[in-house]
Amino acid sequence: MMQDKSLSCQVTFFLEDQQAGQGVSVDFNERGMLIRCDKPVSLSRRVKLLVRFPRVEETLEIQGVVVWTNIHGPADAFTPRGMGVKFVSMDRKVERI
């Protein structure tokens, strides 16, 4: 299945205010996102995300918890290298966007 790159968003993620990595997401909704990245964060870790959504001018800051990760498995379409993050404590303005 071909993914529309115009709908992807750029993500920078932080652990305890230290930049931990960068990635891209094409799978997101109001509850969370799948971030494709080379070095995902381990399960249950809280992360701060800086996200550039398509067609949104400002960079959004979102808090989340890692609920799925693929560090060592194959990096294919079924099990991409990266992590699933559930959003927590989201500001109402950000939630609407």
Side-chain angles (χ1 to χ4, degrees):
M1 178 198 283
M2 183 82 87
Q3 294 180 344
D4 183 352
K5 296 294 184 193
S6 68
L7 296 179
S8 66
C9 61
Q10 300 297 313
V11 182
T12 303
F13 48 95
F14 297 81
L15 287 170
E16 300 167 1
D17 290 329
Q18 298 291 321
Q19 183 172 338
Q22 294 184 322
V24 175
S25 180
V26 292
D27 301 310
F28 51 84
N29 61 33
E30 67 278 356
R31 293 184 306 262
M33 67 176 23
L34 172 65
I35 302 169
R36 293 176 183 254
C37 57
D38 292 333
K39 296 181 180 177
V41 174
S42 56
L43 283 175
S44 303
R45 295 294 306 265
R46 286 188 68 96
V47 291
K48 176 174 78 172
L49 309 173
L50 295 182
V51 182
R52 293 280 313 189
F53 282 106
R55 301 177 197 91
V56 177
E57 290 197 23
E58 63 187 285
T59 299
L60 303 177
E61 182 176 315
I62 303 171
Q63 301 295 319
V65 174
V66 177
V67 295
W68 178 87
T69 189
N70 180 20
I71 297 171
H72 304 293
D76 56 27
F78 185 68
T79 53
R81 181 70 30 96
M83 60 187 174
V85 177
K86 178 182 175 184
F87 301 146
V88 295
S89 306
M90 189 177 301
D91 179 85
R92 288 285 182 203
K93 176 186 170 193
V94 174
E95 191 175 80
R96 282 191 299 269
I97 292 172

